[in-house]
Amino acid sequence: MTKSQPIVLIAEDEESFIEALSVGLKREGFLVEAARDGEEALQMFEKHHPDIILLDIMLPRKSGLDVCREIRAHSRVPIIMVTAKSTEIDTVVGLELGADDYISKPYRMTELVARIRAVMRRTPSSGTEELEGDQRYEVGVISMDPARHEVFVRGDLVKLPLKEFELLEFFLSNPGRVLTREQIIDRVWGPYYAGETKTLDVHIKRLRGKIEQTPSDPTIITTVRGLGYRLEIPR
Ligand code: CA
């Protein structure tokens, strides 16, 4: 099988969606595989090694949430979760499934394709993965080794889901600088991110919960009113 065309695995139980997506994505140059339930999604993931997964949350036999968790246990393949309502996104983000992006029905084909391309750009496929060298970060009580995907806070290893890890990495590479909401969203979620801007606040809150001594009165990642956030350099 040639890998010149990226493979999209659609996990979706509504036949009309599958048809529309297949036609639209093929026209954009993707190869499309479709799974009709969660179990089949896992089987097809193993069989086809897709470059990206478009994963509906409400699936028969096994929910998209469980499918995402199971795939994330051993793979960093890009996953875009599909919710039935935009109001569900915060809840889903809060579950820390490790998905790369979220989109809610109904969505436009152009928006979906932009999101797929953005997520794929941010995720180097295996084999072309950039060498991260010995780049490590140490700011105050936090140290990070991106190559090993490890974060230590006050000497303790802290487990962070992918998005929180990337968020913290962006702060660590810009210590003391105010980062605007737009810059952060652009960097961590990609320039075509059009989801809820509350997503950022949810992630900041979760990250603070893990790194701050008093998350309600943060001293590491502080809010700069009207602008964004800053990683403070301790004096
Ligand atoms: Ca469904």
Side-chain angles (χ1 to χ4, degrees), residues 56-57 81-86 88-89 92 102-105:
D56 190 33
I57 285 178
M81 302 290 299
V82 182
T83 64
K85 293 189 214 109
S86 61
E88 286 172 358
I89 290 182
V92 176
Y102 303 87
I103 193 166
S104 47
K105 293 175 181 171

Side-chain angles (χ1 to χ4, degrees), residues 52-165:
I52 187 160
I53 303 174
L54 194 61
L55 185 55
D56 190 33
I57 285 178
M58 301 295 283
L59 287 174
R61 292 176 78 202
K62 182 167 272 182
S63 81
L65 305 177
D66 290 334
V67 172
C68 185
R69 262 189 217 106
E70 288 185 31
I71 289 176
R72 266 297 168 269
H74 57 99
S75 168
R76 289 184 70 170
V77 63
I79 298 176
I80 298 180
M81 302 290 299
V82 182
T83 64
K85 293 189 214 109
S86 61
T87 48
E88 286 172 358
I89 290 182
D90 279 359
T91 317
V92 176
V93 167
L95 292 174
E96 303 188 342
L97 301 164
D100 296 272
D101 202 354
Y102 303 87
I103 193 166
S104 47
K105 293 175 181 171
Y107 49 77
R108 288 169 181 275
M109 196 64 206
T110 48
E111 186 193 354
L112 177 68
V113 169
R115 300 272 196 105
I116 288 177
R117 294 202 195 286
V119 166
M120 287 180 64
R121 257 198 311 277
R122 295 201 306 273
T123 316
S125 56
S126 54
T128 60
E129 192 137 16
E130 291 165 44
L131 286 176
E132 306 202 50
D134 291 314
Q135 177 69 63
R136 288 162 145 271
Y137 301 101
E138 278 213 53
V139 179
V141 297
I142 298 178
S143 63
M144 174 185 280
D145 183 344
R148 297 173 66 112
H149 201 79
E150 283 178 352
V151 177
F152 291 87
V153 182
R154 294 170 205 93
D156 295 328
L157 183 64
V158 174
K159 265 192 74 182
L160 294 181
L162 188 59
K163 284 289 142 195
E164 286 169 40
F165 188 92

Side-chain angles (χ1 to χ4, degrees), residues 167 171 200-209 221 229:
L167 187 58
F171 278 112
L200 174 59
D201 304 299
V202 172
H203 280 81
I204 293 273
K205 194 174 168 194
R206 296 211 156 243
L207 184 55
R208 279 173 170 163
I221 294 176
Y229 299 96

Side-chain angles (χ1 to χ4, degrees), residues 198-221:
K198 255 198 299 180
T199 300
L200 174 59
D201 304 299
V202 172
H203 280 81
I204 293 273
K205 194 174 168 194
R206 296 211 156 243
L207 184 55
R208 279 173 170 163
K210 288 165 193 160
I211 65 174
E212 300 279 355
Q213 275 181 317
T214 314
S216 56
D217 182 22
T219 57
I220 299 173
I221 294 176

